[in-house]
Amino acid sequence: QVHLVESGGGSVQAGGSLRLSCGANGVIYSSYCMAWYRQGPGEEREGVATIDSDGTTTYADSVKGRFFISQDDTQTEVDLEMNSLKPEDTAMYYCVTDGPRVACTIQSSIDEFNNWGQGLQVTVSS
């Protein structure tokens, strides 16, 4: 089992920036996927960005060029830098991770991941 601890989030005006961080401890997969998903009010959960142990990333079209996912050298922390935020980015954001059994793309359902963080609220006002 992997324990994920998230930090960051909060409220910002449109056009602003926020950074989300997610630290992982517990079982360390030799090959893994870490990802951020979100669920807006009245919406289904959707993939935002993923990064695998090789550093390959995928992004939802809605955030490309604005959001950037990265991991530290120890590969136990992943950050999501969010720029040019829009009101439609308002959502609960979840950090998730799993081993190679899950395809590391934003098309994968969040339900395929065994390890979730507690969620962070991001609110963007117009």
Side-chain angles (χ1 to χ4, degrees), residues 4-57:
L4 298 173
V5 179
E6 302 160 330
S7 61
S11 299
V12 67
Q13 289 192 323
S17 299
L18 286 172
R19 177 182 290 267
L20 308 182
S21 295
C22 176
N25 55 70
V27 174
I28 303 298
Y29 303 105
S30 59
S31 176
Y32 63 81
C33 178
M34 293 192 78
W36 288 95
Y37 282 70
R38 68 184 181 186
Q39 185 171 21
E43 299 179 2
E44 295 186 354
R45 294 188 186 106
E46 63 174 352
V48 176
T50 69
I51 187 166
D52 66 17
S53 46
D54 293 328
T56 300
T57 59

Side-chain angles (χ1 to χ4, degrees), residues 54-86:
D54 293 328
T56 300
T57 59
T58 68
Y59 293 93
D61 287 342
S62 60
V63 306
K64 281 181 181 176
R66 300 189 298 122
F67 290 15
F68 301 94
I69 190 169
S70 61
Q71 58 189 349
D72 69 349
D73 291 340
T74 66
Q75 296 186 326
T76 59
E77 181 172 309
V78 64
D79 292 341
L80 183 68
E81 180 182 344
M82 306 185 294
N83 302 311
S84 301
L85 283 161
K86 304 175 181 180

